[in-house]
Amino acid sequence: MKKKMLAVFCAACMVVGMMAGCGGSSDDETTAAPKTTEAAEEDTTEAADAAEDTTEAAADNSDMLIALITMDSIDQHWVTLNEGAQEAAKELGVEVQFMAPNTKDDAQQIECVNNAVSAGADAIIVAANGPDAISSALQEAVNQGIKLVYVDSPANVDAEATFSTDNEAAGKLAGEEMIKALEEKGITSGSIGIVNVNASTDSTVQRETGFRSAFEGTDFELLETQYGEGDAAKSQTIAENYITQGVVGIFGCNEGSTTGTGNAIKASGNADIVGVGFDKSDAITGLIKEGYLLCTMAQNPDVMGYEGVKAAVAAVNGEDLGGEVTDTGVSVINADSLQ
């Protein structure tokens, strides 16, 4: 049985994913017994055939290698996405190798793509750090017949399918939650800070766009966006600078940005500042419970990973997925929902 393995690790880090009845005495009953036995034998045969079909299907996929490449390997968001991917991989009998740098870095993500191509991957599932930088590497992979599926954040290359949040709509929802909380405090004006990842990551740019749209027509002033590359410590410093400017609210656009925002509000001792964020982690839910974050927009990364692998397998097996984009949903996590 052929097994394809990656020959080269990503420069920063590669994470290998985890992962009867009794008969009576009458003539009628005696006559009925063989029929019951026959039916049971048929059911058993059908079940065995179904199990055999499942085994054969898994065996058919046993040589299939799928590379899962995310923005980094640190955020709990990506760890959860990989867990969903590995669940689907186990069900379908394929190998999914989880690869990511330990920080958001275009060059390292491109290297992961190149390594996957060199190893003979049949499909690549990717969450692009930015839509442009990685596109050439992905196009070369597609040109070689490798199937491409996006999760969370796409690049500028046509893919078989995409599984992501409707980020603009979710960002607007985050803004609406902040406005509602501020108005409940009697605050109808003031400045708002935004901590984003960078100016190129498609998903977080859309979240910011949606967030800003929620404030149109209000008396709130949205300050110039600051970028922390998704790093919690850098994001905390940015949020602390916003706090010194007297902001009434801060929006974090991803897990690290949100954690940094909550930590900054906590360190300031000013729980009246409304912090709203994106993604779910133990640190974020802890800050919500403590009252330093109002809420977070929780995505479903496990669904992205699970459905991404299913789509990749289908595409490799010849199914035309039509480039469909699937919204995997979002929910508002606040103190009430965590009780």
Side-chain angles (χ1 to χ4, degrees), residues 49 79 196 227 270:
D49 289 343
V79 173
N196 207 331
Y227 302 103
N270 185 357

Side-chain angles (χ1 to χ4, degrees), residues 12-335:
C13 175
M14 174 181 292
V15 182
V16 180
M18 313 278 134
M19 332 201 155
C22 298
S25 57
S26 72
D27 290 341
D28 289 341
E29 290 173 340
T30 304
T31 302
K35 293 181 181 179
T36 303
T37 302
E38 182 180 349
E41 289 175 348
E42 288 177 356
D43 290 343
T44 302
T45 300
E46 289 175 1
D49 289 343
E52 184 177 351
D53 289 343
T54 301
T55 303
E56 288 178 355
D60 290 343
N61 295 326
S62 61
D63 282 346
M64 192 181 298
L65 173 63
I66 299 172
L68 172 60
I69 303 172
T70 60
M71 296 183 195
D72 65 50
S73 58
I74 302 302
D75 284 1
Q76 194 167 324
H77 178 80
W78 305 122
V79 173
T80 303
L81 192 150
N82 178 52
E83 290 171 353
Q86 297 302 333
E87 180 182 351
K90 183 177 180 180
E91 291 179 7
L92 297 172
V94 301
E95 180 182 2
V96 173
Q97 291 194 8
F98 179 36
M99 306 186 297
N102 57 13
T103 188
K104 293 175 175 62
D105 183 274
D106 288 337
Q108 292 180 25
Q109 195 175 49
I110 290 168
E111 185 174 354
C112 287
V113 173
N114 293 336
N115 288 341
V117 172
S118 297
D122 299 289
I124 294 175
I125 302 172
V126 65
N129 193 42
D132 298 318
I134 198 174
S135 289
S136 293
L138 290 176
Q139 187 61 62
E140 289 180 9
V142 170
N143 291 345
Q144 294 185 43
I146 297 172
K147 302 300 183 181
L148 176 62
V149 173
Y150 291 127
V151 288
D152 189 271
S153 297
N156 292 326
V157 177
D158 290 340
E160 303 295 325
T162 300
F163 299 91
S164 63
T165 301
D166 184 338
N167 286 290
E168 187 168 343
K172 184 175 183 179
L173 178 60
E176 291 168 346
E177 290 292 321
M178 180 179 285
I179 292 170
K180 181 170 65 175
L182 289 169
E183 289 179 344
E184 287 175 353
K185 294 174 179 285
I187 301 172
T188 57
S189 64
S191 56
I192 308 290
I194 299 176
V195 185
N196 207 331
V197 177
N198 53 50
S200 63
T201 299
D202 182 74
S203 57
T204 58
V205 169
Q206 289 186 36
R207 293 169 197 171
E208 180 184 336
T209 298
F211 181 80
R212 287 184 176 276
S213 72
F215 288 85
E216 293 174 0
T218 72
D219 292 327
F220 292 100
E221 176 192 7
L222 274 65
L223 301 178
E224 183 179 353
T225 303
Q226 300 296 316
Y227 302 103
E229 297 299 329
D231 180 82
K234 292 179 181 178
S235 298
Q236 179 172 345
T237 299
I238 292 169
E240 287 171 346
N241 289 335
Y242 278 137
I243 291 171
T244 63
Q245 298 176 53
V247 296
V248 295
I250 305 174
F251 175 49
C253 293
N254 83 324
E255 182 178 327
S257 305
T258 302
T259 302
T261 293
N263 286 338
I265 294 173
K266 181 176 182 178
S268 74
N270 185 357
D272 288 333
I273 299 170
V274 177
V276 172
F278 235 93
D279 293 329
K280 181 182 178 182
S281 69
D282 293 340
I284 290 172
T285 55
L287 289 162
I288 291 173
K289 290 177 181 178
E290 292 175 322
Y292 299 111
L293 288 173
L294 170 70
C295 62
T296 191
M297 306 298 109
Q299 303 182 84
N300 293 299
D302 54 332
V303 176
M304 296 180 195
Y306 184 88
E307 295 298 334
V309 170
K310 286 177 61 180
V313 171
V316 172
N317 286 330
E319 186 174 339
D320 183 3
L321 304 180
E324 184 177 357
V325 177
T326 301
D327 178 9
T328 51
V330 70
S331 57
V332 178
I333 304 296
N334 55 28

